[in-house]
Short mmCIF file of all heavy atoms in Angstrom, two decimals:
data_model
loop_
_atom_site.label_atom_id
_atom_site.label_comp_id
_atom_site.label_asym_id
_atom_site.label_seq_id
_atom_site.Cartn_x
_atom_site.Cartn_y
_atom_site.Cartn_z
N ALA M 805 129.97 58.80 110.04
CA ALA M 805 129.00 58.64 109.02
C ALA M 805 129.04 59.78 108.06
O ALA M 805 129.37 60.88 108.37
CB ALA M 805 127.60 58.49 109.58
N ALA M 806 128.66 59.51 106.80
CA ALA M 806 128.75 60.52 105.79
C ALA M 806 127.78 61.62 106.11
O ALA M 806 126.67 61.40 106.62
CB ALA M 806 128.47 59.95 104.42
N ASP M 807 128.18 62.87 105.73
CA ASP M 807 127.30 64.00 105.99
C ASP M 807 126.06 63.90 105.15
O ASP M 807 126.05 63.47 104.03
CB ASP M 807 128.02 65.32 105.64
CG ASP M 807 129.13 65.62 106.59
OD1 ASP M 807 129.16 64.97 107.60
OD2 ASP M 807 129.97 66.50 106.26
N LYS M 808 124.99 64.40 105.70
CA LYS M 808 123.74 64.51 104.96
C LYS M 808 123.28 65.95 105.01
O LYS M 808 123.52 66.67 105.98
CB LYS M 808 122.65 63.66 105.64
CG LYS M 808 123.08 62.23 105.96
CD LYS M 808 123.21 61.39 104.73
CE LYS M 808 123.21 59.91 105.04
NZ LYS M 808 123.98 59.50 106.16
N GLU M 809 122.55 66.37 104.00
CA GLU M 809 122.03 67.73 103.95
C GLU M 809 120.87 67.82 104.93
O GLU M 809 120.13 66.89 105.11
CB GLU M 809 121.56 68.09 102.55
CG GLU M 809 122.67 68.17 101.52
CD GLU M 809 123.65 69.29 101.87
OE1 GLU M 809 123.21 70.31 102.41
OE2 GLU M 809 124.84 69.14 101.58
N ALA M 810 120.71 69.02 105.52
CA ALA M 810 119.65 69.18 106.50
C ALA M 810 118.30 68.99 105.89
O ALA M 810 117.37 68.52 106.58
CB ALA M 810 119.76 70.58 107.10
N ASP M 811 118.07 69.33 104.61
CA ASP M 811 116.76 69.16 104.05
C ASP M 811 116.42 67.69 103.76
O ASP M 811 115.34 67.41 103.33
CB ASP M 811 116.61 70.00 102.78
CG ASP M 811 117.65 69.65 101.70
OD1 ASP M 811 118.39 68.68 101.93
OD2 ASP M 811 117.69 70.34 100.68
N GLU M 812 117.37 66.79 104.02
CA GLU M 812 117.08 65.39 103.93
C GLU M 812 116.62 64.82 105.27
O GLU M 812 116.42 63.63 105.41
CB GLU M 812 118.29 64.60 103.43
CG GLU M 812 118.74 64.92 102.01
CD GLU M 812 119.93 64.12 101.59
OE1 GLU M 812 119.79 62.90 101.45
OE2 GLU M 812 120.97 64.74 101.39
N LYS M 813 116.47 65.74 106.24
CA LYS M 813 115.88 65.38 107.55
C LYS M 813 116.68 64.30 108.29
O LYS M 813 116.19 63.28 108.67
CB LYS M 813 114.44 64.89 107.38
CG LYS M 813 113.59 65.76 106.51
CD LYS M 813 113.46 67.17 107.06
CE LYS M 813 112.45 67.98 106.31
NZ LYS M 813 112.81 68.21 104.92
N VAL M 814 117.97 64.54 108.45
CA VAL M 814 118.80 63.65 109.19
C VAL M 814 119.69 64.47 110.11
O VAL M 814 119.79 65.68 109.96
CB VAL M 814 119.71 62.78 108.30
CG1 VAL M 814 118.89 61.78 107.53
CG2 VAL M 814 120.53 63.63 107.36
N VAL M 815 120.27 63.84 111.11
CA VAL M 815 121.19 64.53 112.00
C VAL M 815 122.45 64.89 111.20
O VAL M 815 123.09 64.01 110.60
CB VAL M 815 121.53 63.66 113.19
CG1 VAL M 815 122.55 64.33 114.08
CG2 VAL M 815 120.25 63.35 113.98
N VAL M 816 122.84 66.14 111.22
CA VAL M 816 123.89 66.64 110.34
C VAL M 816 125.14 66.91 111.15
O VAL M 816 125.09 67.34 112.29
CB VAL M 816 123.41 67.96 109.67
CG1 VAL M 816 124.44 68.42 108.64
CG2 VAL M 816 122.07 67.75 109.00
N GLU M 817 126.30 66.64 110.54
CA GLU M 817 127.56 67.04 111.13
C GLU M 817 127.65 68.54 111.28
O GLU M 817 127.33 69.28 110.36
CB GLU M 817 128.73 66.54 110.24
CG GLU M 817 128.86 65.05 110.17
CD GLU M 817 129.44 64.43 111.41
OE1 GLU M 817 129.91 65.22 112.25
OE2 GLU M 817 129.39 63.23 111.57
N GLN M 818 128.11 69.00 112.46
CA GLN M 818 128.22 70.43 112.67
C GLN M 818 129.61 70.94 112.35
O GLN M 818 129.82 72.11 112.27
CB GLN M 818 127.86 70.76 114.14
CG GLN M 818 126.49 70.30 114.54
CD GLN M 818 125.40 70.98 113.75
OE1 GLN M 818 125.64 71.93 113.02
NE2 GLN M 818 124.18 70.55 113.87
N SER M 819 130.56 70.04 112.26
CA SER M 819 131.91 70.46 111.94
C SER M 819 132.30 69.81 110.61
O SER M 819 131.72 68.82 110.21
CB SER M 819 132.86 70.03 113.05
OG SER M 819 132.80 68.64 113.25
N PRO M 820 133.31 70.37 109.94
CA PRO M 820 133.71 69.79 108.65
C PRO M 820 134.09 68.33 108.80
O PRO M 820 134.74 67.95 109.78
CB PRO M 820 134.91 70.68 108.26
CG PRO M 820 134.73 71.94 109.01
CD PRO M 820 134.07 71.56 110.28
N GLN M 821 133.71 67.53 107.84
CA GLN M 821 134.02 66.12 107.91
C GLN M 821 135.52 65.93 107.80
O GLN M 821 136.18 66.47 106.94
CB GLN M 821 133.28 65.40 106.79
CG GLN M 821 133.54 63.90 106.82
CD GLN M 821 132.81 63.23 105.67
OE1 GLN M 821 132.25 63.90 104.85
NE2 GLN M 821 132.81 61.90 105.63
N GLN M 822 136.08 65.10 108.72
CA GLN M 822 137.50 64.86 108.69
C GLN M 822 137.76 63.57 107.97
O GLN M 822 136.98 62.61 108.02
CB GLN M 822 138.02 64.75 110.14
CG GLN M 822 139.53 64.62 110.21
CD GLN M 822 140.00 64.54 111.63
OE1 GLN M 822 139.21 64.35 112.51
NE2 GLN M 822 141.29 64.70 111.87
N SER M 823 138.89 63.49 107.25
CA SER M 823 139.22 62.27 106.56
C SER M 823 139.75 61.26 107.61
O SER M 823 139.86 61.54 108.77
CB SER M 823 140.32 62.58 105.53
OG SER M 823 139.85 63.49 104.57
N GLY M 824 140.05 60.11 107.11
CA GLY M 824 140.59 59.06 107.95
C GLY M 824 141.67 58.33 107.20
O GLY M 824 141.90 58.52 106.03
N VAL M 825 142.36 57.43 107.92
CA VAL M 825 143.44 56.67 107.29
C VAL M 825 142.85 55.57 106.41
O VAL M 825 141.65 55.28 106.46
CB VAL M 825 144.35 56.02 108.38
CG1 VAL M 825 144.98 57.12 109.25
CG2 VAL M 825 143.57 55.03 109.22
N VAL M 826 143.70 54.98 105.58
CA VAL M 826 143.28 53.83 104.78
C VAL M 826 143.13 52.65 105.69
O VAL M 826 144.05 52.27 106.40
CB VAL M 826 144.32 53.55 103.67
CG1 VAL M 826 143.92 52.30 102.89
CG2 VAL M 826 144.47 54.72 102.75
N THR M 827 141.92 52.04 105.72
CA THR M 827 141.68 50.90 106.59
C THR M 827 141.75 49.61 105.81
O THR M 827 141.33 49.53 104.64
CB THR M 827 140.29 51.03 107.26
OG1 THR M 827 139.30 51.13 106.24
CG2 THR M 827 140.23 52.24 108.16
N LEU M 828 142.30 48.56 106.45
CA LEU M 828 142.45 47.27 105.81
C LEU M 828 141.63 46.24 106.56
O LEU M 828 141.57 46.26 107.79
CB LEU M 828 143.91 46.86 105.83
CG LEU M 828 144.90 47.82 105.14
CD1 LEU M 828 146.33 47.37 105.38
CD2 LEU M 828 144.61 47.87 103.63
N PRO M 829 140.96 45.33 105.85
CA PRO M 829 140.14 44.31 106.52
C PRO M 829 141.01 43.38 107.32
O PRO M 829 142.07 42.94 106.87
CB PRO M 829 139.45 43.58 105.35
CG PRO M 829 140.30 43.88 104.17
CD PRO M 829 140.90 45.23 104.38
N PRO M 830 140.56 42.99 108.54
CA PRO M 830 141.40 42.15 109.41
C PRO M 830 141.41 40.68 109.00
O PRO M 830 142.28 39.93 109.43
CB PRO M 830 140.79 42.34 110.80
CG PRO M 830 139.35 42.67 110.48
CD PRO M 830 139.35 43.43 109.22
N ASN M 831 140.42 40.27 108.19
CA ASN M 831 140.31 38.83 107.87
C ASN M 831 140.62 38.55 106.40
O ASN M 831 139.91 37.81 105.72
CB ASN M 831 138.89 38.31 108.23
CG ASN M 831 137.79 39.18 107.63
OD1 ASN M 831 138.06 40.30 107.20
ND2 ASN M 831 136.60 38.67 107.65
N VAL M 832 141.64 39.20 105.89
CA VAL M 832 142.09 39.03 104.52
C VAL M 832 143.57 38.68 104.52
O VAL M 832 144.39 39.28 105.24
CB VAL M 832 141.84 40.32 103.68
CG1 VAL M 832 142.55 40.21 102.35
CG2 VAL M 832 140.35 40.51 103.45
N ASP M 833 143.91 37.65 103.74
CA ASP M 833 145.32 37.24 103.59
C ASP M 833 145.59 37.18 102.09
O ASP M 833 145.32 36.19 101.43
CB ASP M 833 145.54 35.90 104.27
CG ASP M 833 146.99 35.45 104.21
OD1 ASP M 833 147.83 36.21 103.68
OD2 ASP M 833 147.31 34.33 104.69
N LEU M 834 146.13 38.28 101.57
CA LEU M 834 146.31 38.39 100.12
C LEU M 834 147.79 38.67 99.79
O LEU M 834 148.46 39.39 100.50
CB LEU M 834 145.49 39.54 99.53
CG LEU M 834 143.96 39.42 99.62
CD1 LEU M 834 143.30 40.67 99.04
CD2 LEU M 834 143.49 38.19 98.92
N GLU M 835 148.23 38.08 98.68
CA GLU M 835 149.52 38.40 98.11
C GLU M 835 149.26 39.07 96.75
O GLU M 835 148.43 38.58 95.95
CB GLU M 835 150.37 37.13 97.94
CG GLU M 835 150.79 36.51 99.23
CD GLU M 835 151.67 35.30 99.04
OE1 GLU M 835 151.88 34.93 97.85
OE2 GLU M 835 152.15 34.76 100.03
N LEU M 836 149.98 40.14 96.51
CA LEU M 836 149.69 40.96 95.33
C LEU M 836 150.99 41.43 94.72
O LEU M 836 151.82 42.06 95.36
CB LEU M 836 148.83 42.19 95.72
CG LEU M 836 148.41 43.12 94.63
CD1 LEU M 836 147.42 42.45 93.66
CD2 LEU M 836 147.76 44.36 95.22
N ASN M 837 151.16 41.09 93.41
CA ASN M 837 152.25 41.69 92.65
C ASN M 837 151.66 42.97 92.05
O ASN M 837 150.85 42.92 91.12
CB ASN M 837 152.71 40.73 91.54
CG ASN M 837 153.49 39.58 92.13
OD1 ASN M 837 154.32 39.75 93.01
ND2 ASN M 837 153.21 38.38 91.63
N ALA M 838 152.11 44.10 92.56
CA ALA M 838 151.49 45.40 92.24
C ALA M 838 152.35 46.13 91.24
O ALA M 838 153.56 46.24 91.41
CB ALA M 838 151.24 46.22 93.47
N ASN M 839 151.69 46.71 90.24
CA ASN M 839 152.35 47.59 89.31
C ASN M 839 151.44 48.77 89.00
O ASN M 839 150.25 48.57 88.71
CB ASN M 839 152.63 46.86 87.97
CG ASN M 839 153.55 45.64 88.16
OD1 ASN M 839 154.73 45.78 88.29
ND2 ASN M 839 152.92 44.45 88.18
N ALA M 840 151.97 49.98 89.15
CA ALA M 840 151.17 51.18 88.90
C ALA M 840 152.03 52.20 88.21
O ALA M 840 153.15 52.52 88.65
CB ALA M 840 150.62 51.72 90.22
#
Side-chain angles (χ1 to χ4, degrees):
D807 290 346
K808 312 287 197 318
E809 293 296 328
D811 58 7
E812 293 182 67
K813 312 300 188 296
V814 290
V815 177
V816 186
E817 293 285 350
Q818 302 297 352
S819 57
Q821 182 181 6
Q822 186 179 13
S823 300
V825 300
V826 177
T827 57
L828 301 173
N831 51 346
V832 168
D833 184 1
L834 296 178
E835 293 183 355
L836 181 68
N837 288 317
N839 300 282

